[in-house]
Coordinates of all heavy atoms in Angstrom, one line a residue:
M917 N 0.8 -1.2 0.0 CA 0.0 0.0 0.0 C 0.9 1.2 0.0 O 2.0 1.3 0.6 CB -0.9 0.0 1.2 CG -2.0 1.0 1.1 SD -3.3 0.9 2.4 CE -2.5 1.8 3.7
I918 N 0.4 2.3 -0.6 CA 1.1 3.6 -0.7 C 0.7 4.4 0.6 O -0.4 4.5 0.9 CB 0.7 4.3 -2.0 CG1 1.1 3.5 -3.2 CG2 1.4 5.7 -2.0 CD1 2.6 3.2 -3.3
C919 N 1.7 5.0 1.2 CA 1.5 5.8 2.4 C 0.7 7.0 2.0 O 1.0 7.8 1.1 CB 2.9 6.2 2.9 SG 2.7 7.4 4.3
P920 N -0.4 7.3 2.8 CA -1.3 8.4 2.5 C -0.6 9.7 2.8 O -1.1 10.8 2.5 CB -2.5 8.2 3.3 CG -2.1 7.3 4.4 CD -0.9 6.4 3.8
I921 N 0.5 9.7 3.6 CA 1.2 10.9 4.0 C 2.3 11.3 3.0 O 2.3 12.4 2.5 CB 1.7 10.8 5.4 CG1 0.5 10.5 6.4 CG2 2.5 12.0 5.9 CD1 0.9 10.1 7.8
C922 N 3.2 10.4 2.7 CA 4.4 10.7 1.9 C 4.4 10.0 0.6 O 5.2 10.4 -0.3 CB 5.7 10.3 2.7 SG 6.0 8.5 2.8
G923 N 3.5 9.1 0.3 CA 3.4 8.5 -1.0 C 4.4 7.4 -1.3 O 4.5 6.9 -2.4
K924 N 5.2 6.9 -0.3 CA 6.1 5.8 -0.5 C 5.4 4.5 -0.2 O 4.4 4.4 0.5 CB 7.3 6.0 0.4 CG 8.2 7.2 -0.1 CD 9.5 7.3 0.8 CE 10.3 8.5 0.2 NZ 11.3 9.0 1.2
E925 N 6.1 3.4 -0.6 CA 5.5 2.1 -0.4 C 5.6 1.7 1.1 O 6.7 1.9 1.7 CB 6.3 1.1 -1.3 CG 5.7 -0.3 -1.3 CD 4.3 -0.4 -2.0 OE1 4.0 0.3 -3.0 OE2 3.4 -1.1 -1.4
M926 N 4.6 1.1 1.6 CA 4.6 0.7 3.0 C 4.8 -0.8 3.2 O 4.6 -1.5 2.2 CB 3.3 1.1 3.7 CG 2.9 2.6 3.5 SD 1.3 3.0 4.2 CE 1.8 3.3 5.9
T927 N 5.2 -1.2 4.3 CA 5.4 -2.6 4.6 C 4.2 -3.2 5.3 O 3.7 -2.7 6.3 CB 6.6 -2.8 5.5 OG1 7.8 -2.2 4.9 CG2 7.0 -4.3 5.7
K928 N 3.7 -4.3 4.7 CA 2.5 -4.9 5.3 C 2.8 -5.7 6.5 O 3.8 -6.4 6.6 CB 1.8 -5.8 4.2 CG 0.4 -6.3 4.6 CD -0.2 -7.1 3.5 CE -1.7 -7.5 3.8 NZ -1.8 -8.3 5.0
G929 N 1.9 -5.7 7.5 CA 2.1 -6.5 8.7 C 0.7 -6.5 9.4 O -0.3 -6.4 8.8
G930 N 0.8 -6.7 10.7 CA -0.4 -6.8 11.6 C 0.0 -6.3 13.0 O 1.1 -6.2 13.3
I931 N -1.1 -6.1 13.7 CA -0.9 -5.6 15.1 C -1.3 -6.7 16.1 O -2.3 -7.3 15.9 CB -1.8 -4.3 15.3 CG1 -1.2 -3.1 14.6 CG2 -1.8 -4.0 16.8 CD1 -2.0 -1.9 14.6
I932 N -0.4 -6.9 17.0 CA -0.7 -7.9 18.1 C -0.9 -7.2 19.4 O 0.1 -6.5 19.8 CB 0.3 -9.0 18.2 CG1 0.4 -9.8 16.8 CG2 0.1 -9.9 19.3 CD1 1.5 -10.8 16.8
L933 N -2.0 -7.3 20.0 CA -2.3 -6.7 21.3 C -2.1 -7.8 22.4 O -2.8 -8.7 22.4 CB -3.7 -6.1 21.3 CG -4.1 -4.9 22.1 CD1 -3.2 -3.8 21.9 CD2 -5.5 -4.5 21.8
S934 N -1.1 -7.6 23.2 CA -0.8 -8.7 24.2 C -0.9 -8.2 25.6 O -1.0 -7.0 25.9 CB 0.6 -9.3 24.0 OG 1.5 -8.2 24.1
G935 N -1.0 -9.1 26.5 CA -1.1 -8.8 28.0 C -2.5 -8.3 28.4 O -2.6 -7.6 29.4
I936 N -3.5 -8.7 27.6 CA -4.8 -8.3 28.0 C -5.4 -9.3 29.0 O -5.4 -10.5 28.8 CB -5.8 -8.3 26.8 CG1 -5.2 -7.4 25.7 CG2 -7.2 -7.8 27.1 CD1 -5.9 -7.5 24.4
K937 N -5.9 -8.8 30.1 CA -6.4 -9.7 31.2 C -7.9 -9.8 31.0 O -8.5 -10.8 31.5 CB -6.0 -9.2 32.6 CG -4.5 -9.1 32.8 CD -3.9 -10.5 32.9 CE -2.4 -10.4 33.2 NZ -1.6 -10.8 32.0
L938 N -8.5 -8.7 30.5 CA -10.0 -8.7 30.4 C -10.4 -8.9 29.0 O -9.6 -8.7 28.1 CB -10.5 -7.4 30.9 CG -10.3 -7.0 32.4 CD1 -10.6 -5.6 32.7 CD2 -11.0 -8.0 33.3
D939 N -11.7 -9.2 28.8 CA -12.2 -9.3 27.4 C -12.5 -7.9 27.0 O -13.6 -7.4 27.1 CB -13.5 -10.1 27.5 CG -13.3 -11.4 26.7 OD1 -12.2 -11.6 26.2 OD2 -14.3 -12.1 26.6
G940 N -11.5 -7.2 26.4 CA -11.6 -5.8 26.0 C -12.2 -5.7 24.6 O -12.4 -6.7 23.9
E941 N -12.4 -4.5 24.2 CA -12.9 -4.2 22.9 C -12.0 -3.2 22.3 O -11.4 -2.3 22.9 CB -14.3 -3.6 22.9 CG -15.4 -4.6 23.3 CD -16.8 -3.9 23.3 OE1 -16.8 -2.7 23.5 OE2 -17.7 -4.6 23.0
F942 N -11.8 -3.3 21.0 CA -11.0 -2.3 20.2 C -12.0 -1.6 19.3 O -12.6 -2.1 18.4 CB -10.0 -3.1 19.3 CG -8.9 -2.3 18.8 CD1 -8.3 -1.2 19.4 CD2 -8.3 -2.6 17.5 CE1 -7.3 -0.4 18.9 CE2 -7.3 -1.8 17.0 CZ -6.8 -0.8 17.7
T943 N -12.3 -0.3 19.7 CA -13.5 0.3 19.2 C -13.2 1.7 18.6 O -12.4 2.5 19.1 CB -14.5 0.6 20.4 OG1 -14.7 -0.7 21.1 CG2 -15.8 1.1 19.9
W944 N -13.8 1.9 17.5 CA -13.7 3.2 16.8 C -14.9 4.1 17.1 O -16.0 3.6 17.2 CB -13.7 2.9 15.2 CG -13.7 4.2 14.4 CD1 -12.6 4.8 13.9 CD2 -14.8 4.9 13.9 NE1 -12.9 5.9 13.1 CE2 -14.3 6.0 13.2 CE3 -16.2 4.8 14.1 CZ2 -15.1 6.9 12.5 CZ3 -17.0 5.8 13.5 CH2 -16.5 6.8 12.7
Y945 N -14.5 5.4 17.4 CA -15.6 6.4 17.6 C -15.4 7.5 16.6 O -14.2 7.8 16.2 CB -15.5 7.0 19.0 CG -16.0 6.0 20.1 CD1 -15.2 5.1 20.7 CD2 -17.4 6.0 20.4 CE1 -15.7 4.3 21.7 CE2 -17.9 5.2 21.4 CZ -17.0 4.3 22.0 OH -17.5 3.4 23.0
S946 N -16.4 8.2 16.3 CA -16.3 9.4 15.4 C -15.5 10.5 16.2 O -15.4 10.4 17.5 CB -17.7 10.0 15.1 OG -18.3 10.5 16.2
Q947 N -14.9 11.4 15.5 CA -14.0 12.4 16.2 C -14.7 13.1 17.3 O -14.2 13.4 18.4 CB -13.5 13.4 15.1 CG -12.3 14.3 15.6 CD -11.1 13.5 15.9 OE1 -10.6 12.8 14.9 NE2 -10.5 13.5 17.1
N948 N -16.0 13.5 17.0 CA -16.8 14.2 18.0 C -16.9 13.5 19.3 O -16.7 14.0 20.4 CB -18.2 14.5 17.4 CG -19.0 15.5 18.2 OD1 -18.4 16.4 18.7 ND2 -20.3 15.3 18.2
E949 N -17.2 12.2 19.2 CA -17.3 11.4 20.4 C -16.0 11.1 21.1 O -15.8 11.2 22.3 CB -18.0 10.0 20.1 CG -19.4 10.1 19.6 CD -20.3 10.8 20.6 OE1 -20.2 10.6 21.8 OE2 -21.1 11.7 20.1
F950 N -15.0 10.9 20.2 CA -13.6 10.6 20.7 C -13.0 11.8 21.5 O -12.3 11.5 22.5 CB -12.7 10.3 19.5 CG -11.3 9.9 19.8 CD1 -11.0 8.6 20.2 CD2 -10.3 10.9 19.7 CE1 -9.7 8.3 20.5 CE2 -9.0 10.5 20.0 CZ -8.7 9.2 20.4
D951 N -13.4 13.0 21.1 CA -12.8 14.2 21.8 C -13.5 14.5 23.1 O -13.0 15.4 23.9 CB -13.0 15.4 20.9 CG -12.0 15.3 19.7 OD1 -11.0 14.6 19.8 OD2 -12.2 16.0 18.7
K952 N -14.6 13.9 23.4 CA -15.3 14.1 24.7 C -14.4 13.7 25.9 O -13.7 12.7 25.8 CB -16.6 13.4 24.8 CG -17.7 14.0 23.9 CD -19.0 13.2 24.0 CE -20.0 13.8 23.1 NZ -21.3 13.0 23.1
K953 N -14.4 14.5 26.9 CA -13.5 14.2 28.1 C -14.4 13.9 29.3 O -15.5 14.3 29.4 CB -12.6 15.3 28.3 CG -11.6 15.5 27.2 CD -10.6 16.6 27.6 CE -9.5 16.8 26.5 NZ -10.0 17.6 25.4
G954 N -13.7 13.3 30.3 CA -14.3 13.2 31.6 C -15.5 12.4 31.7 O -15.6 11.3 31.1
L955 N -16.5 12.9 32.4 CA -17.7 12.1 32.7 C -18.8 12.2 31.6 O -19.8 11.6 31.7 CB -18.3 12.6 34.0 CG -17.4 12.3 35.2 CD1 -18.0 12.9 36.5 CD2 -17.2 10.8 35.4
K956 N -18.5 13.0 30.6 CA -19.5 13.1 29.5 C -19.6 11.7 28.9 O -18.7 11.0 28.5 CB -19.0 14.0 28.4 CG -19.2 15.5 28.7 CD -18.8 16.4 27.5 CE -18.4 17.8 28.0 NZ -17.6 18.4 27.0
A957 N -20.9 11.3 28.7 CA -21.1 9.9 28.2 C -20.8 9.9 26.7 O -21.2 10.8 26.0 CB -22.5 9.5 28.5
W958 N -20.1 8.9 26.3 CA -19.9 8.7 24.9 C -21.2 8.1 24.3 O -21.9 7.3 24.8 CB -18.8 7.6 24.6 CG -17.4 8.1 24.9 CD1 -17.0 9.4 24.8 CD2 -16.3 7.3 25.2 NE1 -15.6 9.4 25.2 CE2 -15.2 8.2 25.4 CE3 -16.1 5.9 25.4 CZ2 -13.9 7.7 25.8 CZ3 -14.9 5.5 25.8 CH2 -13.8 6.4 25.9
D959 N -21.5 8.7 23.1 CA -22.7 8.1 22.4 C -22.1 6.9 21.7 O -21.4 6.9 20.8 CB -23.1 9.1 21.3 CG -24.2 8.5 20.4 OD1 -24.6 7.4 20.7 OD2 -24.6 9.2 19.5
R960 N -22.6 5.7 22.2 CA -22.0 4.5 21.7 C -22.8 3.9 20.5 O -22.4 2.8 20.0 CB -22.1 3.4 22.9 CG -21.2 3.9 24.1 CD -21.4 3.0 25.3 NE -20.7 1.8 25.2 CZ -19.4 1.6 25.6 NH1 -18.8 2.7 26.0 NH2 -18.8 0.5 25.5
S961 N -23.8 4.6 20.1 CA -24.6 4.1 19.0 C -23.9 3.9 17.7 O -24.2 3.1 16.9 CB -25.9 4.9 18.8 OG -25.6 6.3 18.5
N962 N -23.0 4.8 17.4 CA -22.3 4.8 16.1 C -20.9 4.2 16.2 O -20.1 4.3 15.3 CB -22.2 6.2 15.5 CG -23.5 6.6 14.9 OD1 -24.2 5.7 14.4 ND2 -23.9 7.8 15.1
R963 N -20.5 3.6 17.4 CA -19.2 3.0 17.5 C -19.0 1.8 16.6 O -20.0 1.2 16.2 CB -18.9 2.7 18.9 CG -19.7 1.5 19.4 CD -19.6 1.2 20.8 NE -20.6 0.2 21.2 CZ -20.5 -0.7 22.1 NH1 -19.4 -0.7 22.8 NH2 -21.5 -1.5 22.4
K964 N -17.8 1.5 16.2 CA -17.5 0.3 15.4 C -16.5 -0.5 16.2 O -15.4 -0.1 16.5 CB -16.9 0.7 14.1 CG -17.7 1.8 13.3 CD -19.0 1.2 12.8 CE -19.7 2.3 12.0 NZ -21.2 2.0 11.8
N965 N -16.9 -1.8 16.4 CA -15.9 -2.7 17.1 C -15.1 -3.4 16.0 O -15.6 -3.9 15.0 CB -16.7 -3.8 17.8 CG -17.1 -3.3 19.2 OD1 -16.5 -2.3 19.7 ND2 -18.1 -3.8 19.8
I966 N -13.8 -3.3 16.2 CA -12.9 -3.9 15.2 C -12.7 -5.4 15.4 O -12.5 -5.8 16.6 CB -11.6 -3.1 15.2 CG1 -11.8 -1.6 14.8 CG2 -10.5 -3.7 14.4 CD1 -10.7 -0.7 15.1
D967 N -12.8 -6.1 14.3 CA -12.7 -7.5 14.4 C -11.3 -8.0 14.7 O -10.4 -7.6 14.0 CB -13.2 -8.1 13.0 CG -13.5 -9.6 13.1 OD1 -14.0 -10.0 14.1 OD2 -13.2 -10.2 12.1
A968 N -11.1 -8.8 15.7 CA -9.8 -9.3 16.0 C -9.9 -10.9 16.1 O -10.9 -11.4 16.4 CB -9.4 -8.8 17.4
K969 N -8.7 -11.5 15.9 CA -8.6 -12.9 16.0 C -7.8 -13.2 17.3 O -6.7 -12.7 17.5 CB -7.9 -13.5 14.8 CG -8.5 -13.2 13.5 CD -9.6 -14.2 13.2 CE -10.3 -13.9 11.9 NZ -11.4 -12.9 12.1
R970 N -8.4 -13.9 18.2 CA -7.7 -14.2 19.5 C -6.8 -15.4 19.3 O -7.3 -16.5 18.8 CB -8.7 -14.4 20.6 CG -8.0 -14.7 21.9 CD -8.9 -14.4 23.1 NE -9.0 -13.0 23.2 CZ -9.4 -12.3 24.3 NH1 -9.7 -13.0 25.4 NH2 -9.5 -11.0 24.4
S971 N -5.6 -15.3 19.6 CA -4.7 -16.5 19.5 C -4.8 -17.4 20.7 O -5.4 -17.1 21.7 CB -3.2 -16.0 19.3 OG -2.7 -15.6 20.6
L972 N -4.1 -18.5 20.6 CA -4.1 -19.5 21.7 C -3.5 -18.9 22.9 O -3.8 -19.3 24.0 CB -3.4 -20.8 21.3 CG -4.1 -21.6 20.2 CD1 -3.3 -22.8 19.8 CD2 -5.5 -22.1 20.7
M973 N -2.6 -18.0 22.8 CA -1.9 -17.4 23.9 C -2.7 -16.2 24.5 O -2.2 -15.6 25.4 CB -0.5 -16.9 23.5 CG 0.4 -18.1 23.0 SD 0.8 -19.3 24.2 CE 1.9 -18.4 25.3
G974 N -3.8 -15.9 23.9 CA -4.7 -14.8 24.4 C -4.4 -13.5 23.8 O -5.0 -12.5 24.2
E975 N -3.5 -13.4 22.8 CA -3.3 -12.1 22.2 C -4.4 -11.8 21.2 O -5.0 -12.8 20.6 CB -2.0 -12.1 21.4 CG -0.7 -12.1 22.3 CD 0.0 -13.4 22.1 OE1 -0.6 -14.4 21.5 OE2 1.1 -13.5 22.6
E976 N -4.7 -10.6 21.0 CA -5.6 -10.2 19.9 C -4.8 -9.8 18.7 O -3.8 -9.0 18.8 CB -6.4 -8.9 20.4 CG -7.3 -9.2 21.6 CD -8.7 -9.8 21.2 OE1 -8.9 -10.0 20.0 OE2 -9.4 -10.1 22.2
K977 N -5.2 -10.3 17.6 CA -4.4 -10.1 16.4 C -5.3 -9.3 15.4 O -6.4 -9.7 15.1 CB -4.0 -11.4 15.8 CG -3.0 -12.2 16.7 CD -2.6 -13.5 16.1 CE -1.4 -13.2 15.1 NZ -0.9 -14.5 14.6
F978 N -4.7 -8.2 14.8 CA -5.4 -7.4 13.9 C -4.6 -7.4 12.6 O -3.4 -7.0 12.5 CB -5.6 -6.0 14.3 CG -6.3 -5.9 15.7 CD1 -5.6 -5.9 16.9 CD2 -7.7 -5.8 15.7 CE1 -6.3 -5.8 18.1 CE2 -8.4 -5.7 16.9 CZ -7.7 -5.7 18.1
N979 N -5.2 -8.0 11.5 CA -4.5 -8.0 10.2 C -4.5 -6.7 9.5 O -5.3 -5.8 9.9 CB -5.2 -9.1 9.4 CG -4.2 -9.7 8.4 OD1 -3.1 -9.3 8.2 ND2 -4.7 -10.7 7.7
N980 N -3.7 -6.5 8.5 CA -3.7 -5.4 7.6 C -3.3 -4.1 8.3 O -4.1 -3.1 8.2 CB -5.1 -5.2 6.9 CG -5.4 -6.3 6.0 OD1 -4.6 -6.7 5.2 ND2 -6.6 -6.8 6.1
A981 N -2.1 -4.1 8.9 CA -1.6 -2.8 9.4 C -0.3 -2.6 8.6 O 0.5 -3.5 8.4 CB -1.3 -2.9 10.9
Y982 N -0.2 -1.4 8.0 CA 1.0 -1.0 7.2 C 1.9 0.0 7.8 O 1.4 1.0 8.4 CB 0.4 -0.5 5.8 CG -0.4 -1.5 5.0 CD1 -1.7 -1.7 5.3 CD2 0.2 -2.2 4.0 CE1 -2.4 -2.7 4.6 CE2 -0.5 -3.1 3.3 CZ -1.8 -3.3 3.6 OH -2.5 -4.3 2.9
F983 N 3.2 -0.3 7.8 CA 4.2 0.6 8.4 C 4.9 1.4 7.3 O 5.4 0.8 6.3 CB 5.2 -0.3 9.2 CG 6.3 0.5 9.7 CD1 6.1 1.5 10.6 CD2 7.6 0.2 9.3 CE1 7.2 2.3 11.1 CE2 8.7 0.9 9.8 CZ 8.5 2.0 10.7
C984 N 5.0 2.7 7.5 CA 5.8 3.5 6.6 C 7.1 3.9 7.3 O 7.1 4.5 8.3 CB 5.1 4.8 6.3 SG 6.1 5.9 5.3
E985 N 8.2 3.4 6.7 CA 9.5 3.6 7.3 C 9.9 5.1 7.2 O 10.7 5.6 8.0 CB 10.6 2.8 6.6 CG 11.7 2.3 7.4 CD 12.4 1.1 6.9 OE1 11.7 0.1 6.6 OE2 13.6 1.2 6.7
S986 N 9.4 5.8 6.2 CA 9.8 7.1 5.9 C 9.1 8.1 6.9 O 9.8 9.0 7.5 CB 9.4 7.5 4.5 OG 9.6 8.9 4.3
C987 N 7.9 7.9 7.2 CA 7.1 8.7 8.2 C 7.1 8.2 9.6 O 6.7 8.9 10.5 CB 5.7 8.9 7.8 SG 5.3 9.5 6.2
N988 N 7.5 6.9 9.8 CA 7.4 6.2 11.1 C 6.0 6.2 11.5 O 5.7 6.4 12.7 CB 8.3 7.0 12.1 CG 9.1 6.0 12.9 OD1 9.4 4.9 12.4 ND2 9.6 6.4 14.0
K989 N 5.1 5.9 10.6 CA 3.6 5.8 11.0 C 3.1 4.4 10.6 O 3.6 3.7 9.7 CB 2.8 6.8 10.2 CG 3.3 8.3 10.5 CD 2.4 8.9 11.5 CE 2.6 10.4 11.6 NZ 3.7 10.7 12.6
I990 N 2.0 4.0 11.3 CA 1.3 2.8 10.9 C -0.1 3.2 10.5 O -0.8 4.0 11.3 CB 1.3 1.8 12.1 CG1 2.8 1.3 12.4 CG2 0.4 0.6 11.9 CD1 2.9 0.6 13.7
V991 N -0.5 2.6 9.4 CA -1.9 2.8 9.0 C -2.6 1.5 9.0 O -2.0 0.5 8.5 CB -1.9 3.4 7.5 CG1 -3.3 3.5 7.0 CG2 -1.3 4.8 7.6
G992 N -3.8 1.4 9.6 CA -4.5 0.2 9.6 C -5.7 0.1 8.8 O -6.4 1.2 8.7
I993 N -6.0 -1.0 8.1 CA -7.3 -1.2 7.5 C -7.9 -2.3 8.2 O -7.6 -3.5 8.1 CB -7.1 -1.6 6.0 CG1 -6.3 -0.4 5.3 CG2 -8.4 -1.8 5.3 CD1 -6.0 -0.7 3.9
F994 N -8.9 -2.0 9.0 CA -9.5 -3.0 9.9 C -10.9 -3.3 9.5 O -11.7 -2.4 9.2 CB -9.4 -2.5 11.4 CG -8.0 -2.1 11.9 CD1 -7.8 -0.9 12.4 CD2 -7.0 -3.1 11.8 CE1 -6.5 -0.6 12.8 CE2 -5.8 -2.8 12.2 CZ -5.5 -1.5 12.7
T995 N -11.3 -4.5 9.7 CA -12.7 -4.9 9.4 C -13.4 -4.8 10.7 O -12.9 -5.2 11.8 CB -12.7 -6.4 9.0 OG1 -11.8 -6.5 7.8 CG2 -14.1 -6.9 8.6
I996 N -14.7 -4.3 10.6 CA -15.5 -4.2 11.9 C -16.3 -5.4 11.9 O -16.7 -6.0 10.9 CB -16.3 -2.9 11.9 CG1 -17.3 -2.9 10.8 CG2 -15.5 -1.7 11.9 CD1 -18.4 -1.9 10.9
N997 N -16.7 -5.9 13.2 CA -17.6 -7.0 13.3 C -19.0 -6.4 13.6 O -19.1 -5.4 14.4 CB -17.2 -8.0 14.3 CG -17.0 -7.4 15.7 OD1 -17.5 -6.4 16.0 ND2 -16.1 -8.1 16.5
I998 N -20.0 -6.9 12.9 CA -21.3 -6.3 12.9 C -22.2 -7.0 13.9 O -22.1 -8.2 14.0 CB -21.9 -6.2 11.5 CG1 -20.9 -5.5 10.6 CG2 -23.2 -5.5 11.5 CD1 -21.2 -5.8 9.1
Ligands
ZN70 ZN1 5.0 7.8 4.7

């Protein structure tokens, strides 16, 4: 994939979330909801849960994360579970 910031070729990989003790969620919120602070309740109606594969060791694995060596950034293309 081409980096959306600098236009160079990125390296394909994946993200592994390890050391999770609870059954957590990896959730996307719109910017408006994401920016809310403190005790303001997040409007959870439009959130998107990102689909992860749990490994035998308990890690959550997210496929399709691309690393740009030039920008030092990672861009993810994640599937949501509906
Ligand atoms: Zn880049």
Side-chain angles (χ1 to χ4, degrees):
M917 194 171 84
I918 299 299
C919 176
I921 298 166
C922 73
K924 291 184 178 160
E925 190 63 39
M926 305 177 86
T927 306
K928 188 175 189 297
I931 289 173
I932 297 176
L933 211 51
S934 57
I936 305 169
K937 301 287 182 250
L938 298 169
D939 246 1
E941 289 180 332
F942 195 35
T943 309
W944 177 93
Y945 285 91
S946 69
Q947 192 70 55
N948 193 34
E949 296 303 318
F950 182 81
D951 287 342
K952 288 180 181 173
K953 291 187 181 78
L955 296 174
K956 285 183 202 161
W958 288 333
D959 175 5
R960 299 170 80 83
S961 59
N962 284 322
R963 69 186 169 147
K964 309 288 182 199
N965 280 336
I966 294 167
D967 193 37
K969 303 273 175 278
R970 180 157 291 196
S971 78
L972 290 175
M973 301 297 286
E975 294 111 347
E976 297 276 355
K977 299 181 81 176
F978 302 92
N979 206 354
N980 293 316
Y982 294 81
F983 173 63
C984 177
E985 211 160 306
S986 175
C987 302
N988 228 19
K989 300 262 190 269
I990 294 168
V991 174
I993 300 176
F994 303 123
T995 304
I996 62 167
N997 57 25
I998 306 161

